[in-house]
DNA sequence: AATTTAATGCAACATCATTGCAAATATAGA
DNA sequence: TCTATATTTGCAATGATGTTGCATTAAATT
C-alpha cells in the first residue's frame, strides 16, 4: 500500500512532511528514534514537526512505539491494523531490524494470576537470522 | 541486612549520601526514578550525586534498573546477588510496588530460535495482589 | 593525627521534549 | 478555479533530563 493511501484511510491530511516520514519508515523494517529522524530530515522538516507527525501516526496505529533498554523511544512502521495492541518486539543489535512477535504464552501470564495484568512490554534484543547468516558467509 | 553492611560488603565507602539513598530504597519495594529521589532529597543531596550513587549501586547490583512504558528509568532495591542478571519485573500501577519475576519459559524463547537472543526485557504492569485485595474491602 | 584516595557540590553545558503563537498549507465548498 | 475554513508547520522560548570538569570535603589507611 502507498503512503498516500494510508493517510487517506486514516483521514489525515496529505502533507509533504507526513509523506516524507511515512515513506521513509515504510521503506525499511527498522526502528528509529526521534533523533534519528531529526538527522535524516534536518534540512527539510522542523524537529517539532517530527514529534507531532510521530504522535499522529501513533494515535492511528500506523506506527508501533517501544522503548529499548537504553530508554530510547523507537518507532517502527507496522503494516496497520495487523497489530492492534501492544505486542513484543525483537530488535537486531546489528542491522536494527525489528520483528513483531506473537504474544506471550498464557501459562506464563498465569504465573501472575494473583495480580491483574494490564500491560506487558517485552523487548528481545539479539542478532537476527539474516545477520547470523551473513556472519557464516565470511 | 543493614544498609551499612551492604556497603561494606561491596567495599564501598560509607557516606551519608549513600546511607540516605540506600536506606530509603530498602525501606520499600517500590521503584523510583532519579527525579523522584531528587525531590525526596532536594534539601540534603545534590542532583548529580544522586546520579552517581545510583550508578555505583547499579554496578554492584545493589539495585535493579528498568525502563517503564513511558521511558522513565526506574531503580528498585534488590536483595543482592539474589538477582544476578536482567530479569522481568511486575510493577503495580496503583502502589508502585515492584515484584521481581522469574525468567521467561524456554519454549517461548525457542520460538525465536532462528535468531540469537542476547537480552530480554520484560515489564508487566497492572494491579498487584495487595491493591486488588484492598479494592474488594471497600 | 597525617596522608592518601574517593566522594560530593557546584557550575556549566549538552540533550531531549513540550508549548504558544503566527504563518503557511490542505481540503471543502462556491 | 478561487475562496473560506480548519489544520499543520516553523520558530522561539521554556522546561526537563542527563553529563562533565574541577575545587572542596570527607572517609579510610597508616
Amino acid at each position: 500500500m502507498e503512503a498516500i493511501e494510508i493517510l487517506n484511510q486514516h483521514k489525515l491530511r496529505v502533507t509533504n512532511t507526513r509523506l516524507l516520514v511515512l515513506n521513509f519508515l515504510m521503506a525499511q523494517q527498522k526502528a528509529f528514534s526521534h533523533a534519528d529522524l531529526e538527522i535524516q530530515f534536518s534540512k527539510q522538516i522542523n524537529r517539532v514537526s517530527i514529534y507531532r507527525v510521530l504522535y499522529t501516526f501513533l494515535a492511528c496505529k500506523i506506527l508501533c512505539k517501544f522503548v529499548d533498554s537504553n530508554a530510547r523511544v523507537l518507532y517502527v512502521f507496522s503494516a496497520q491494523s495487523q497489530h492492534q495492541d501492544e505486542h513484543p518486539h525483537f530488535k537486531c543489535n546489528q542491522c536494527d531490524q525489528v520483528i513483531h512477535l506473537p504474544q506471550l504464552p498464557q501459562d506464563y501470564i498465569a504465573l501472575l494470576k494473583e495480580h491483574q495484568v494490564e500491560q506487558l512490554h517485552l523487548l528481545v534484543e539479539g542478532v537476527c537470522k539474516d545477520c547470523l547468516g551473513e556472519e557464516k558467509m565470511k
Side-chain angles (χ1 to χ4, degrees), chain A:
Chain A
M1 177 140 37
E2 290 289 316
I4 204 169
E5 292 177 72
I6 292 178
L7 294 178
N8 284 326
Q9 204 170 45
H10 291 277
K11 298 190 174 145
L12 296 176
R13 291 198 172 185
V14 178
T15 69
N16 196 38
T17 301
R18 286 175 180 166
L19 285 175
L20 278 170
V21 175
L22 187 49
N23 276 315
F24 178 76
L25 291 173
M26 285 175 75
Q28 51 211 308
Q29 288 183 313
K30 291 186 190 177
F32 296 90
S33 66
H34 173 270
D36 295 332
L37 297 170
E38 189 180 338
I39 291 166
Q40 182 66 224
F41 296 110
S42 59
K43 302 273 166 64
Q44 306 156 76
I45 313 177
N46 184 275
R47 337 179 22 255
V48 180
S49 301
I50 295 176
Y51 277 114
R52 293 195 267 225
V53 166
L54 292 173
Y55 182 86
T56 303
F57 286 174
L58 215 56
C60 298
K61 302 189 179 175
I62 294 172
L63 303 181
C64 285
K65 165 186 171 175
F66 62 91
V67 179
D68 78 2
S69 44
N70 299 311
R72 289 202 334 152
V73 178
L74 298 178
Y75 301 87
V76 61
F77 175 71
S78 164
Q80 76 279 24
S81 72
Q82 184 182 331
H83 304 108
Q84 293 289 9
D85 39 16
E86 172 80 28
H87 55 272
H89 293 97
F90 177 92
K91 176 170 161 290
C92 178
N93 286 329
Q94 284 183 27
C95 71
D96 279 339
Q97 180 185 186
V98 169
I99 298 165
H100 304 265
L101 296 177
Q103 273 299 350
L104 279 176
Q106 281 301 320
D107 55 349
Y108 184 82
I109 297 172
L111 263 182
L112 306 168
K113 61 172 177 288
E114 307 160 303
H115 313 296
Q116 178 182 310
V117 175
E118 289 179 347
Q119 283 179 298
L120 207 141
H121 309 279
L122 173 62
L123 172 63
V124 185
E125 293 174 324
V127 185
C128 75
K129 188 176 55 175
D130 302 340
C131 288
L132 282 173
E134 279 173 30
E135 272 179 25
K136 281 182 192 163
M137 300 294 251
K138 288 174 196 170

